[in-house]
Amino acid sequence: MLLGNATLLGLGYAFLRRFGLFAAALAGTVVLVGILAAAPGAPGWLIVLAVWWLAMVSHGWWLARPGRVTPAERPLTQRIVAGAVVVALVATVVGLRVDTARTVDDAAQAHAAGDCDRASELLERIGPTDRVVHGSKALEGEADLAACGLLLEADASWGSDRDAAAALAVYMRHPNALWEGAGPRRAELLLDTAYDGRGVHQRVLEAGFEQLETTLDEVPGQAGRVESVTEAFLADLAEEPDHCAVRDVVEWVDGQDWTAPELAEPVTAASDEVPRRILGCARTLADANELTASRNTYEAFLHDYRDDRRADAASDERYDVVTAIQRKKVRSLLTRDRYCANPQPYRGAAPYRRNGTNPMRVFGINPVAHAFPRPWRASSLEDMVLVACVDGPKNGSYQDTCTYESDIGPFGSDVDFYASRFEVKLYEVRTGRMVATIWDEFGEPCPPKILVKSYTGIFVPPDTKRSSFTSAELRGMFEVYQN
C-alpha cells in the first residue's frame, strides 16, 4: 500500500479496491504535473507536489496499518508491482533529468560558439516532460533559446548591416547571451557601413571602434578577433577608390590615442595610408573642378607631411590649382563687368611688357567702334595682358563760348564748350596691379553746326556742350602701352 501510493499514481488505493480514491489521487497528480509543466521550476508548486506525495503515502499507511488490513489483503505480488513501478518511475525521472541537462548543456556550447541554428534545434526538443523532471534546466534552456532567437534575427538582417548591428546590440544586452564573438561581429558590421558614396558616417565609425574597445575590456579572449577586424577594416580602406571618403576615415582613426596593441599596431602599420589618401583626395577634387576644396586639401597635406616624398609634386599641383582658382575668379569678374571694381590677379596670364603689344580687354568704351587695332584686343583670357577701365567721355576743361541761331530769339543762344575728358586705369592681369592711370582731353570747340533737340518743333541750343573727339585721339591714349 505504501509503495503503491509512493508512485504518486494512487496504486495503493487500487490494491485496496478503493477506486474512487485511486481516481482522485491520479487526477490530483495529473493536475499538479500539468501545472509544473506549465510553470517549470516554480518552488511553490514543487512544495505542493511534495505535500501531495507525503499525504498520499501517509494516507496509504493509515489505511494499511497493522490490525486494519489482514495479510491476505496484502499479497506479495502487489508489493512487487508497486516496487517495480517506483523503480521504473525513479529511473525514468533520473534518465530524463540527465537527458535534459545534457541537451541544454550541448545547446549552450553551440550557442557559445555562435551556432544558434544547432542550439535552437536542440532546445526545441525541450518539452513538458523536461519541464516537470528538471524545471530549472528547462528554464535555462528556454532563456538560451530566447537569446539565440535574437542572434538568429541579427543573422537574418545581415543583408542590412546596420539592422544587423542593431539586432546584435539587443542580443548582447540579453542576460543569456553566450556568444563572445558578438562584439567583434557588431563592430565589423558598423565599420562596413562607416562610409559610403555619400561620405563618412562619423557616429557609426566611432561606435564601431568603441565596440572593439569594449570587447577588449569585457572579453579579453576576443583580443585576436578584435585585431583581425581592425586589420580587415584598414585593408578594405586601402582598396576603396574614393580617396576623399577614406581620407576622413583614416585621419580620424590615425588621430586617436589607441592604447590597446590590438588597435594601435594595425593603425600604425597602415599610417602611410593617411598622406596617400589626403593627396589623392586633393587630386580628385581638382579633377572635379572643386578647386577651393582641393587647394585646402593640398595645403593640409603640405602642412602635415612636408617631408613626404610626394611633397614636391603636391606643391606643384597646388600651384596649378591656385592658378586655376585665380583664372576662374578673374573670368567671372570679366564676364560680369566687375573687374574694374575688384581687380584680381591671374598668374597664368602673360606679363606686361613696356616694349611690345599688350592685348587688352577694354571696359567703358567699344574698342571695335573706335577701330582699335586687332593686336590690341584680347580674344580670350589666355592672351589678355591688360584690362583697361575707361571713364568717359565727360566734361573736361572749359574751352570757349559760341553763339548759335535759335528759334526763340533774334540774337541767338550762347553755348559753353568743354573738352571731352577720358580717364583710364590700366591693370596688369597677371598681378591684378594697376600699371598706369592716364587721362586726356580732346575736341575742338565751336563747330559751324551743332545738333540740338527739338521741343515741340522749337530748336533751342543747349547751355553747355562737350566738344567732339575722334577715334584716333582716343586710340592715342593707349599707343604708348602697345608699342
Side-chain angles (χ1 to χ4, degrees):
M1 177 63 186
L2 292 178
L3 286 175
N5 276 11
T7 63
L8 278 174
L9 300 177
L11 290 180
Y13 297 131
F15 294 157
L16 294 177
R17 300 182 182 280
R18 298 195 177 189
F19 296 110
L21 290 174
F22 167 69
L26 185 61
T29 299
V30 170
V31 168
L32 288 175
V33 169
I35 292 174
L36 285 174
W45 289 108
L46 286 173
I47 293 172
V48 170
L49 182 63
V51 170
W52 176 252
W53 179 80
L54 286 173
M56 290 178 64
V57 171
S58 299
H59 191 234
W61 176 83
W62 175 257
L63 292 177
R65 68 186 184 277
R68 177 128 183 211
V69 179
T70 64
E73 295 176 318
R74 294 178 291 180
L76 180 61
T77 55
Q78 292 180 355
R79 295 176 183 177
I80 294 173
V81 170
V85 171
V86 170
V87 171
L89 285 175
V90 171
T92 300
V93 169
V94 171
L96 289 173
R97 282 179 63 88
V98 170
D99 183 66
T100 300
R102 184 172 58 251
T103 300
V104 173
D105 291 342
D106 289 346
Q109 291 179 5
H111 179 188
D115 187 2
C116 267
D117 286 324
R118 171 63 177 162
S120 297
E121 181 183 348
L122 290 170
L123 292 173
E124 285 172 356
R125 300 177 187 174
I126 302 297
T129 302
D130 301 279
R131 297 186 183 96
V132 172
V133 300
H134 206 335
S136 60
K137 207 67 177 177
L139 286 175
E140 180 182 332
E142 290 177 358
D144 281 355
L145 183 61
C148 263
L150 296 174
L151 191 56
L152 291 173
E153 180 181 344
D155 190 14
S157 303
W158 284 1
S160 172
D161 288 348
R162 289 196 185 180
D163 291 342
L168 278 175
V170 176
Y171 164 78
M172 293 166 64
R173 290 193 294 268
H174 195 282
N176 283 77
L178 300 178
W179 185 37
E180 294 181 347
R185 178 55 182 162
R186 177 173 180 265
E188 184 178 30
L189 292 168
L190 290 170
L191 295 178
D192 283 347
T193 60
Y195 63 95
D196 54 28
R198 294 172 295 178
V200 179
H201 303 282
Q202 189 65 32
R203 290 185 179 180
V204 178
L205 176 64
E206 293 175 5
F209 275 92
E210 181 182 352
Q211 179 64 69
L212 292 175
E213 290 185 299
T214 300
T215 300
L216 289 174
D217 291 339
E218 298 180 356
V219 193
Q222 289 291 312
R225 176 64 176 143
V226 167
E227 186 170 7
S228 297
V229 169
T230 306
E231 290 174 346
F233 172 67
L234 295 174
D236 288 344
L237 285 180
E239 300 298 325
E240 172 61 44
D242 188 344
H243 290 288
C244 291
V246 175
R247 173 204 61 177
D248 294 338
V249 175
V250 295
E251 278 191 314
W252 181 85
V253 173
D254 193 62
Q256 305 306 303
D257 185 19
W258 306 114
T259 56
E262 293 81 4
L263 298 175
E265 291 176 5
V267 171
T268 301
S271 60
D272 190 56
E273 191 70 7
V274 181
R276 183 175 83 89
R277 290 302 187 167
I278 295 175
L279 185 56
C281 180
R283 291 167 174 168
T284 299
L285 292 170
D287 291 341
N289 205 34
E290 297 181 28
L291 300 176
T292 301
S294 176
R295 179 198 62 195
N296 294 339
T297 307
Y298 273 116
E299 289 175 351
F301 175 85
L302 293 170
H303 178 272
D304 295 335
Y305 303 98
R306 58 175 61 90
D307 296 328
D308 191 279
R309 58 183 173 79
R310 295 159 288 198
D312 289 342
S315 181
D316 293 342
E317 293 167 14
R318 174 188 174 277
Y319 183 92
D320 293 339
V321 168
V322 172
T323 301
I325 291 174
Q326 291 182 346
R327 182 183 185 281
K328 185 176 182 180
K329 182 179 294 185
V330 169
R331 187 181 186 86
S332 174
L333 291 170
L334 293 171
T335 302
R336 295 184 292 117
D337 292 349
R338 297 292 300 164
Y339 188 90
C340 292
N342 184 27
Q344 296 291 323
Y346 168 46
R347 61 191 180 195
Y352 165 68
R353 297 178 298 173
R354 295 189 179 278
N355 295 315
T357 302
N358 295 286
M360 61 184 176
R361 171 76 177 272
V362 182
F363 290 98
I365 60 171
N366 186 343
V368 176
H370 292 288
F372 278 46
R374 182 65 188 83
W376 290 15
R377 292 180 277 122
S379 59
S380 67
L381 181 56
E382 311 326 303
D383 65 352
M384 192 181 303
V385 176
L386 296 175
V387 172
C389 301
V390 181
D391 182 14
K394 58 184 179 180
N395 287 349
S397 303
Y398 169 76
Q399 292 177 311
D400 199 353
T401 300
C402 300
T403 303
Y404 290 88
E405 294 180 359
S406 172
D407 290 347
I408 62 173
F411 304 107
S413 298
D414 291 336
V415 179
D416 295 333
F417 280 85
Y418 293 85
S420 292
R421 180 183 176 91
F422 288 89
E423 295 180 2
V424 179
K425 293 180 180 179
L426 290 176
Y427 294 95
E428 182 186 31
V429 176
R430 182 180 180 85
T431 62
R433 296 175 181 174
M434 189 162 56
V435 173
T437 300
I438 54 179
W439 67 272
D440 208 343
E441 296 182 341
F442 312 109
E444 292 295 331
C446 305
K449 296 181 180 180
I450 61 174
L451 294 175
V452 296
K453 293 181 179 180
S454 171
Y455 298 96
T456 65
I458 300 175
F459 293 91
V460 181
D463 294 334
T464 63
K465 189 168 179 63
R466 190 168 54 239
S467 298
S468 299
F469 63 92
T470 66
S471 294
E473 290 173 323
L474 184 60
R475 292 194 303 272
M477 294 181 67
F478 296 91
E479 286 181 352
V480 69
Y481 304 99
Q482 300 292 345
N483 294 311

